[in-house]
Amino acid sequence: SILAGGLLSGKYRNGQTPSSTSRFVKYPEYMSRWSPATASPQTLDAVNEYAKLAEEAGMSPTELSIAFIRTRRFIADNGSVIVGAVTMKQLEENLSPFDNENILSDDLMEAINRVHMKCRDPSCSL
């Protein structure tokens, strides 16, 4: 899941109040490795760091996530990015990284990789 079941959207970060229809609110046991209630502290720290990087770059965590996955060769050469949106605002946010091929600077990619090296596989660090 590009957005880790919605965790990388930013709507579950500390201080945020997700909608009562949000996936992890409606289905608290859904994808426990990504659920804000059960994910490892390392996973949640990584999510917060990615969100900060996105904010510093002037984009949402969703835009950062989708822009990043588009840089992966296995997607860029032979795949596609599947987005899922419930609202028009979410759809617009999901599609905005497709408007600019070079949205991620080299410095931002290095910062993303530094976060990744701290939490390489969140699903294995429960």
Side-chain angles (χ1 to χ4, degrees):
S1 170
I2 294 170
L3 295 178
L7 188 61
L8 288 171
S9 69
K11 66 183 169 186
Y12 298 102
R13 289 180 67 207
N14 293 339
Q16 301 293 322
T17 305
S19 158
S20 62
T21 59
S22 295
R23 184 174 292 138
F24 291 124
V25 173
K26 282 179 79 170
Y27 311 104
E29 295 181 22
Y30 174 77
M31 296 178 79
S32 62
R33 69 182 179 266
W34 305 123
S35 173
T38 56
S40 72
Q42 297 90 343
T43 297
L44 298 175
D45 288 346
V47 167
N48 284 325
E49 287 187 55
Y50 289 131
K52 288 176 189 173
L53 291 175
E55 289 165 7
E56 290 169 3
M59 63 183 87
S60 72
T62 296
E63 291 167 321
L64 178 76
S65 298
I66 293 172
F68 176 79
I69 198 68
R70 293 193 66 223
T71 69
R72 306 298 80 194
R73 187 171 189 127
F74 57 88
I75 295 293
D77 289 353
N78 302 307
S80 63
V81 176
I82 300 170
V83 297
V86 176
T87 67
M88 183 57 76
K89 180 181 179 208
Q90 289 174 337
L91 180 61
E92 290 168 353
E93 186 177 33
N94 282 217
L95 295 177
S96 71
F98 293 88
D99 290 338
N100 183 350
E101 292 287 324
N102 301 311
I103 194 170
L104 303 178
S105 68
D106 290 342
D107 289 342
L108 184 52
M109 287 296 292
E110 287 177 23
I112 290 168
N113 287 327
R114 281 193 298 274
V115 175
H116 172 72
M117 293 308 290
K118 289 189 222 173
C119 187
R120 295 181 90 166
D121 189 353
S123 63
C124 291
S125 59
L126 290 172

